[in-house]
């Protein structure tokens, strides 16, 4: 199957957005990893985050498609604005230094709350993507894969280094989403 330039651009955009969203899981994973974490817990947390990074954008995409049907061309501008707001919030939170709430990552509730907190941004991005033509299966699988892989990386890095990396990871992810939001508006 031959991929056109436009399709290739969409695939690259999906990968970049997946990395940007996964950086949130990476940065929060560093904080959890620095508290000391077993490899089995890293595996469990990463799998749940990967699943949430599939479910949340999928729900967002379906909601975005519905909004797109209702609003037409206005939906593109709304999606761009949503990405700008989300990216700005991520950068602002990083600069302000908001920390993740302490919880027991070994309990079902703690694990669910952590996975939801790092995946909620994926829902918002899914809404934006649902307003555009996108390959749903590819999008959610790539988001899930990068969410899981970057959370593993963050948790492992957190076991080894100090917390300075986490702040910059979230800020960088926010800047990427901000840039895509501006691109959608232009």
């Amino acid at each position: 199957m031959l991929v056109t330039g436009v399709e290739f651009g969409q695939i690259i955009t999906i990968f970049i957005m997946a990395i940007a969203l996964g950086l949130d899981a990476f940065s929060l994973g560093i904080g959890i990893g620095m508290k000391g974490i077993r490899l089995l817990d890293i595996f469990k947390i990463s799998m749940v985050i990967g699943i949430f990074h599939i479910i949340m954008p999928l729900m967002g995409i379906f909601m975005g498609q519905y909004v797109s049907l209702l609003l037409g061309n206005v939906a593109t501008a709304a999606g761009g604005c949503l990405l700008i707001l989300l990216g700005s919030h991520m950068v602002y939170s990083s600069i302000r230094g908001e920390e993740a709430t302490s919880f027991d990552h070994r309990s079902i509730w703690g694990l669910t709350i952590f996975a939801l907190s790092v995946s909620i941004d994926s829902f918002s991005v899914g809404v934006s993507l649902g307003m555009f033509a996108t390959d749903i299966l590819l999008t959610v699988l790539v988001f899930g894969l990068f969410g899981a892989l970057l959370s593993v990386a963050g948790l492992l890095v957190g076991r080894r280094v100090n917390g300075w990396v986490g702040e910059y990871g979230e800020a960088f992810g926010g800047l990427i989403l901000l840039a895509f939001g501006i691109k959608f508006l232009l």
Side-chain angles (χ1 to χ4, degrees):
M1 180 168 127
L2 187 61
V3 177
T4 67
V6 172
E7 290 170 340
F8 183 72
Q10 287 177 347
I11 291 169
I12 295 298
T13 299
I14 289 169
F15 273 85
I16 292 171
M17 291 179 114
I19 292 168
L21 291 170
L23 285 173
D24 199 24
F26 175 80
S27 63
L28 292 175
I30 289 174
I32 299 301
M34 287 176 54
K35 295 178 184 177
I37 189 168
R38 299 178 319 166
L39 290 176
L40 180 61
D41 289 334
I42 289 174
F43 176 76
K44 287 192 292 190
I45 289 171
S46 299
M47 296 309 326
V48 172
I49 287 173
I51 291 167
F52 270 75
H53 266 76
I54 290 172
I55 293 170
M56 297 303 287
L58 188 60
M59 290 179 357
I61 286 171
F62 289 134
M63 182 177 280
Q65 287 175 341
Y66 178 70
V67 169
S68 181
L69 287 173
L70 292 176
L71 300 178
N73 290 337
V74 176
T76 301
C81 289
L82 186 61
L83 285 176
I84 288 171
L85 290 173
L86 181 62
S88 299
H89 177 64
M90 286 175 69
V91 171
Y92 175 74
S93 295
S94 174
I95 291 170
R96 213 168 143 217
E98 294 177 1
E99 294 293 326
T101 307
S102 183
F103 65 92
D104 181 11
H105 60 270
R106 290 175 296 246
S107 73
I108 290 289
W109 288 110
L111 180 58
T112 302
I113 289 170
F114 179 65
L116 182 61
S117 71
V118 299
S119 301
I120 198 74
D121 297 348
S122 297
F123 175 80
S124 302
V125 172
V127 170
S128 299
L129 290 175
M131 296 179 192
F132 309 106
T134 185
D135 183 343
I136 295 172
L137 182 62
L138 175 68
T139 300
V140 298
L141 289 178
V142 169
F143 280 18
L145 176 68
F146 278 94
L149 290 177
L150 286 172
S151 65
V152 166
L155 291 163
L156 290 174
V157 167
R159 290 178 72 185
R160 303 270 188 240
V161 300
N162 293 326
W164 63 270
V165 176
E167 294 176 24
Y168 299 114
E170 184 176 3
F172 184 66
L175 287 174
I176 290 172
L177 294 180
L178 186 64
F180 278 112
I182 291 169
K183 179 182 180 257
F184 287 150
L185 288 178
L186 299 178

